[in-house]
Amino acid sequence: MQRIALITGATSGIGEACARKLASAGYRLILTGRRADRLENIAAQLQSAHETETLTLCFDVQNREEVFQAIESIPKTWQNISVLINNAGLALGRDNFIDANLNDWDTMIKTNVNGMMYVTKALLPFLQQQSGAHIVNIGSIAGKEVYENGNAYCASKFAVDALSKSMRIDLLKYGIKITVVHPGAVETEFSVVRYKGDQQKADATYVGFKPLTGDDIADAIHYAISLPPHVCINDMVITPAQQASAIHFHKQ
Ligand code: NDP
Ligand code: 8X3
């Protein structure tokens, strides 16, 4: 039987790459994000490339009611979800604590932390029914090390790390595997969002080294969710070969 995976933040970057990877591996996909047009485009592309069956759900992970309504609306034929990829997330700004914008802080915490918790909580009744269910959370190297001006983004990703450990313990008796993936620099729309549309600043992030791509992360996730039932990768930190920590790069 085809496995069903639900991917949050499938409209771009790592989430979209996961959708393409899992489509090529024969999954049925529930794709979520706020941009409905992008979801429909990607679904159409996957249908024509791999005959992938998709269900698209448009909601904001920050909004508890929207999350629960969307997930409760999943039709019966789509409820056998065995993989959840909690990927939706963002950074906003890179400001000193003293200058930081409070709305940016709220949005990061509400998206990266509350959003991940709401989606997971809403989906657990479905995941619990599946043997070998697997939750993959996208953390960050910023959730392993704090860097200057990283403040709330780092805190949100440290929370993803802590929640992943907590889920692994609480969900152990339900046989649900938890893997957390902590990428270093991946070239996606992440920096354009972080710098609020300043493309020059975004591009500068990746100058002098070869960043990861969404596909690199999707390949690692596919590996983790394809392992035999008795094997669980708990934690993966994946950086470009030219990156050794959140701030150490060998640029050329
Ligand atoms: P992108 O900006 O390319 O993609 C982010 C995705 O998250 C989009 O699909 C976006 O969809 C979705 N999203 C953001 N906010 C919300 C929301 N409120 N509700 C629903 N969906 C939302 O960035 P990446 O692919 O790089 O980021 C994916 C994850 O990887 C994030 O959690 C990020 O923190 C993490 N990460 C990224 C790294 C990088 O260097 N790129 C490194 C380490 C971690 P839409 O706008 O349509 O809602
Ligand atoms: C994204 C990586 O180092 O810009 O999570 O915070 S970093």
Side-chain angles (χ1 to χ4, degrees):
M1 206 172 67
Q2 280 180 297
R3 297 179 88 192
I4 301 178
L6 185 147
I7 305 169
T8 67
T11 57
S12 162
I14 295 170
E16 182 180 347
C18 288
R20 293 187 193 287
K21 180 71 191 177
L22 297 197
S24 72
Y27 279 73
R28 294 168 72 208
L29 295 174
I30 305 178
L31 305 179
T32 85
R34 290 167 301 181
R35 287 170 288 182
D37 53 335
R38 289 220 191 179
L39 288 174
E40 294 317 321
N41 261 333
I42 293 162
Q45 286 171 28
L46 298 181
Q47 166 65 38
S48 95
H50 308 285
E51 296 186 4
T52 308
E53 274 186 74
T54 52
L55 176 72
T56 58
L57 295 177
C58 195
F59 61 86
D60 183 335
V61 297
Q62 298 174 83
N63 184 315
R64 197 204 297 185
E65 281 74 35
E66 274 187 31
V67 171
F68 279 84
Q69 267 172 20
I71 289 174
E72 283 162 11
S73 79
I74 294 175
K76 257 219 146 15
T77 51
W78 279 93
Q79 290 180 4
N80 296 336
I81 300 161
S82 59
V83 174
L84 162 62
I85 304 180
N86 274 316
N87 162 76
L90 81 175
L92 287 174
R94 193 161 172 165
D95 302 315
N96 187 292
F97 207 95
I98 209 157
D99 305 315
N101 176 312
L102 287 172
N103 292 331
D104 289 349
W105 277 2
D106 286 349
T107 305
M108 286 188 275
I109 301 290
K110 281 162 70 182
T111 307
N112 301 350
V113 185
N114 296 29
M116 188 194 74
M117 292 197 287
Y118 298 155
V119 171
T120 306
K121 187 79 164 64
L123 268 183
L124 275 173
F126 299 151
L127 293 168
Q128 233 182 307
Q129 303 302 318
Q130 302 302 310
S131 85
H134 200 147
I135 300 174
V136 180
N137 295 327
I138 307 300
S140 170
I141 195 153
K144 293 287 188 185
E145 305 157 27
V146 178
Y147 54 82
E148 191 175 6
N149 302 335
N151 44 67
Y153 180 66
C154 292
S156 75
K157 291 299 184 177
F158 269 72
V160 171
D161 198 30
L163 285 163
S164 302
K165 289 176 182 151
S166 161
M167 285 180 194
R168 195 173 299 113
I169 295 167
D170 287 358
L171 303 178
L172 183 61
K173 60 179 172 226
Y174 301 101
I176 301 176
K177 295 187 196 179
I178 312 291
T179 297
V180 56
V181 178
H182 299 282
V186 189
E187 191 165 11
T188 60
E189 293 176 15
F190 176 85
S191 293
V192 181
V193 172
R194 176 173 235 173
Y195 297 117
K196 304 180 180 176
D198 185 334
Q199 189 68 52
Q200 263 187 330
K201 233 170 161 175
D203 290 345
T205 310
Y206 308 106
V207 169
F209 71 103
K210 188 171 166 59
L212 297 171
T213 64
D215 291 338
D216 296 322
I217 304 302
D219 285 348
I221 291 172
H222 180 243
Y223 173 72
I225 62 175
S226 305
L227 289 167
H230 68 288
V231 184
C232 178
I233 295 183
N234 287 211
D235 207 74
M236 286 197 241
V237 180
I238 308 172
T239 63
Q242 289 169 271
Q243 180 178 12
S245 78
I247 55 161
H248 293 100
F249 290 82
H250 179 58
K251 295 193 178 179
Q252 286 169 322

